[in-house]
Amino acid sequence: MTEKLALLGGPKAVMVDSANTFRWPIITEEDEAAVLEVLRSGDMSGTDVTKAFEEDFARYFDMPYCLGHCNGTAALLAAMYACGVGAGDEIICPSVTYWASALPCYSLGASVVFADCDPSTLNMDPGDIEHRITGRTKAIMVVHYCAHPSDMDAIMAIARKHGVKVIEDVSHAQGSLYKGTLTGTIGDVAAMSLMSQKSLVVGEGGMLVTRDRMLWERAVAFGHYGRHGELTDPGLIAGKGYPFGGVKHRMNQLASALGRVQLAHYQERIEAIQAAMNYFWDLLEGCPGVRAHRPAKDSGSTMGGWYAAKGLYRAEELGGLDIGRFCEAVTAEGSPTGPGANPPMHLHPLLNEYDIYGHGQPTRIAFATRDLRQPPGSLPVSERIGREVFSVPHFKHVHKDVIELHAAAFRKVAENAAQLR
Ligand SMILES: *Cc1c(COP(=O)(O)O)cnc(C)c1O
């Protein structure tokens, strides 16, 4: 159907105020009461509420050992330490992710080797991992990017073959299933952010989750000196009293209290998100130029809370229309969108030039026996992917009328792309 695009003066596709469809986190009086209770007790720096939150978490993930952290970055650092990542070691990590998946390794005297990503899942390409493993590789950092579960079968097989640990960064993917199993329960240890823009929200906070008591104890030893009484390993007990990492990772109990309430409602809320987002993409089935970023329907895999929901752009189906122009036109229709993913980390100066700690050479290679820096052109998909994905509305409720209008905005621009060329 030919319709004049709003960008060119036509009527807008979305003309309702849909703010309530998008609001997140959902905060009710129950959250307020839980936080107020801790506030009035004055025990923000205690651990009783945090331990209760850890127990709730252990139940949700069906994992025996959870450890609350002050943020996700701290939980990731602790997970790396727990896995034995230390001086001169390497981790393998996707380049297109938030920096905290990789950069904490620097403070352990370790470095990072990036693997390329898959243009459809946006996750680390399992075919680009194995040849990067060396005698110094200690861990593979898996990021379930924008809530899409990574190919864990392939990654675990590679890791087991080479005896390296797998850390899952679940910051985008709390509640995402990989073939019916929760992400964060498949690798050796998982760490995740629970900051207030993520799907599962406590404010500033993080969680580490594992089945391995020793990994948990190492994380306790590293950043939780106040809980060293929980250690059982003689080697760790020998150093107890001071945090091994010289860092303090304790969670603020205002956050743990909020987290307990948020987690109690989480499954129900993400199921609404999943129904809403899947409805949106079902409406766009067959629409030229755009593809859903989601696993196949019969795979048993899901998209958790659809954190930072994305679509995949196929310019060739729209006569080569620039993604920026496409997004501008959809935004003009009343459905704000823009191109982009996290910029590829391997091109940033901090991964190439900077000597952060005064080692006399770039930190990336300060302890390395070879130059493991990765120049422009070395990870081609990661370098171009920001021009192949765009944000999509992140519906929190199954408000079908609103979802239909937003889907119509994308379809209208795609089907009338000729007007923009
Ligand atoms: C947000 C995020 C983190 C860091 O968590 P903070 O709680 O902000 O410290 C780590 N990894 C990924 C992939 C993230 O998106």
Side-chain angles (χ1 to χ4, degrees):
M1 183 174 32
T2 308
E3 291 171 280
K4 190 165 188 187
L5 295 176
L7 189 64
L8 306 174
K12 289 168 84 164
V14 184
M15 298 227 272
V16 292
D17 174 14
S18 41
N20 185 42
T21 302
F22 298 110
R23 207 166 64 86
W24 197 263
I26 296 170
I27 300 292
T28 70
E29 285 175 8
E30 195 185 349
D31 300 274
E32 294 173 6
V35 173
L36 265 180
E37 191 182 323
V38 174
L39 187 64
R40 288 182 176 140
S41 79
D43 201 12
M44 280 75 84
S45 293
T47 53
D48 57 329
V49 184
T50 297
K51 284 177 181 168
F53 182 42
E54 289 167 358
E55 278 168 31
D56 296 347
F57 228 85
R59 214 169 301 119
Y60 180 81
F61 277 85
D62 194 20
M63 294 286 276
Y65 302 112
C66 297
L67 191 61
H69 284 75
C70 51
N71 56 49
T73 304
L76 283 157
L77 171 62
M80 291 177 198
Y81 177 76
C83 288
V85 176
D89 291 335
E90 296 167 14
I91 64 167
I92 296 173
C93 179
S95 182
V96 176
T97 177
Y98 185 71
W99 54 262
S101 309
L103 283 190
C105 77
Y106 275 179
S107 55
L108 299 169
S111 195
V112 54
V113 174
F114 295 107
D116 213 350
C117 64
D118 177 284
S120 302
T121 65
L122 309 181
N123 285 323
M124 194 155 46
D125 176 355
D128 195 46
I129 296 172
E130 189 165 13
H131 68 102
R132 301 185 187 279
I133 295 178
T134 71
R136 296 187 146 209
T137 308
K138 275 281 165 60
I140 299 172
M141 176 65 69
V142 175
V143 183
H144 306 289
Y145 194 69
C146 296
H148 195 303
S150 292
D151 185 351
M152 293 307 290
D153 285 346
I155 293 169
M156 292 309 293
I158 294 165
R160 292 298 175 249
K161 180 175 161 196
H162 294 274
V164 305
K165 298 271 194 241
V166 171
I167 305 171
E168 291 180 77
D169 182 345
V170 191
S171 301
H172 294 186
Q174 300 92 349
S176 290
L177 299 177
Y178 170 72
K179 297 185 180 173
T181 303
L182 273 173
T183 56
T185 68
I186 303 165
D188 295 283
V189 57
M192 67 195 83
S193 173
L194 305 172
M195 54 88 78
S196 48
Q197 284 157 12
K198 300 287 155 66
S199 290
L200 180 55
V201 171
V202 309
E204 285 295 293
M207 189 64 80
L208 178 144
V209 176
T210 182
R211 270 196 193 90
D212 186 330
R213 170 94 200 176
M214 273 316 297
L215 296 186
W216 182 85
E217 289 204 12
R218 282 178 64 82
V220 170
F222 190 77
H224 301 263
Y225 74 95
R227 292 175 66 170
H228 281 182
E230 297 173 56
L231 299 175
T232 62
D233 179 71
L236 296 175
I237 288 172
K240 82 175 166 70
Y242 294 145
F244 290 21
V247 292
K248 193 178 148 192
H249 282 173
R250 187 190 300 156
M251 193 168 193
N252 179 338
Q253 298 215 104
L254 296 172
S256 345
L258 176 61
R260 294 197 73 193
V261 180
Q262 287 290 309
L263 185 59
H265 297 283
Y266 189 62
Q267 192 57 35
E268 181 194 333
R269 287 175 184 165
I270 65 172
E271 279 169 17
I273 293 173
Q274 289 172 12
M277 294 304 298
N278 280 320
Y279 183 58
F280 171 78
W281 280 115
D282 289 348
L283 290 168
L284 287 171
E285 268 310 311
C287 177
V290 303
R291 296 282 184 286
H293 176 235
R294 60 175 170 179
K297 269 187 183 152
D298 54 3
S299 60
S301 298
T302 71
M303 293 286 283
W306 287 75
Y307 175 77
K310 298 273 188 291
L312 310 175
Y313 191 63
R314 298 286 177 261
E316 66 280 9
E317 295 177 5
L318 301 178
L321 178 67
D322 174 73
I323 187 172
R325 189 79 174 140
F326 174 81
C327 289
E328 209 184 323
V330 176
T331 301
E333 296 296 337
S335 189
T337 177
N342 289 84
M345 236 191 293
H346 67 285
L347 302 181
H348 191 279
L350 219 54
L351 280 304
N352 289 288
E353 297 140 34
Y354 270 75
D355 175 4
I356 303 165
Y357 299 115
H359 286 114
Q361 49 185 331
T363 304
R364 178 93 179 273
I365 55 169
F367 296 101
T369 49
R370 66 185 200 289
D371 192 347
L372 38 75
R373 289 176 291 184
Q374 294 164 286
S378 58
L379 298 172
V381 182
S382 302
E383 290 170 34
R384 64 165 211 252
I385 200 68
R387 303 299 294 172
E388 293 181 10
V389 300
F390 55 89
S391 59
V392 294
H394 192 181
F395 305 103
K396 311 303 189 309
H397 306 279
V398 192
H399 295 161
K400 286 197 169 179
D401 47 345
V402 174
I403 297 169
E404 284 160 11
L405 292 172
H406 284 268
F410 281 82
R411 187 177 279 279
K412 180 181 170 191
V413 174
E415 291 183 349
N416 294 278
Q419 293 176 33
L420 296 169
R421 293 197 298 266

